[in-house]
Amino acid sequence: MRALLLTVLLVLAGCSSQEEPPRTVTVFAAASLTEAFTTLGKEFETANPGVQVAFNFAGSSALAQQINQGAPADVFASAAPANMQQVGDAKEPVTFAKNQLEIAVPKGNPGKVTGLANFADESLDIALCAEQVPCGAAAKKALAAAGITAKPDTLEQDVKAALTKVRLGEVDAALVYRTDVKAAGAEVEGIDFPEAAKAVNDYPIAVLGKAPNSAQAKAFVDFVRSDRGKAVLAEAGFSAP
């Protein structure tokens, strides 16, 4: 009897050690979504035991290229429709948020920047996003609307890189999203400008056709679009679609 009991306990121990591995939802998301999506990812994991959310944050153009080259991803959230359209595997993308530009300057505004006109001042150090990146395309529109020819000293591959230049005091000003200025807190100061309204970015999100974990991917997209998702995005500074 003792031997039989020992055998049963060993079998049960073996079964308990073979727990089901967590299911991972891999989300490729625009760099400007870092703070909001990190919060949503944690809340999604709490609401869905056994599911993990793994993020790849970068410029939308780089993410689209990675997906097209076969990088395994379940969800793509872009900072502009143009980059979503580059991904043929995106299934029925929907706009879930909007964002617009703001001038970011280091704390104390040492360059005395007051508006877009300062971006044509060659005596100032200016950062913009590269044009293929959504924040760069939006900057081009805003500058054109203002009739300003910018004189950038650096072109960054995503908005967080441009913001870092400001945070470190390496540039006098950069055009970033208002959500990034808000996320930086007291480290930077933001300056609104009217032409930003002419370059508002729509943010689409989609489950990918070859998603390794399509069921949880759809659930994550639904969560982003839920009332809770909208609240987190609004708190981060995004506008409703």
Side-chain angles (χ1 to χ4, degrees), residues 116-131 135-136 139-140 143 148-157 162 165 170-175:
L116 279 188
N118 295 111
F119 280 69
D121 187 345
E122 294 186 0
S123 69
L124 295 177
D125 291 320
I126 301 296
L128 294 176
C129 293
E131 286 187 17
C135 63
K140 182 179 180 180
L143 289 163
I148 302 296
T149 300
K151 306 292 185 181
D153 296 278
T154 181
L155 296 173
E156 302 299 325
Q157 294 304 308
K165 294 283 187 181
E170 295 179 3
V171 297
D172 296 299
L175 277 181

Side-chain angles (χ1 to χ4, degrees), residues 35 104-107 159-171 174 180-181 183-189:
E35 291 78 17
V105 298
K107 186 176 181 179
V159 71
K160 292 300 185 185
L163 182 68
T164 297
K165 294 283 187 181
V166 179
R167 289 175 54 245
L168 296 177
E170 295 179 3
V171 297
D180 297 295
V181 172
E187 293 185 278
V188 306
E189 297 177 16

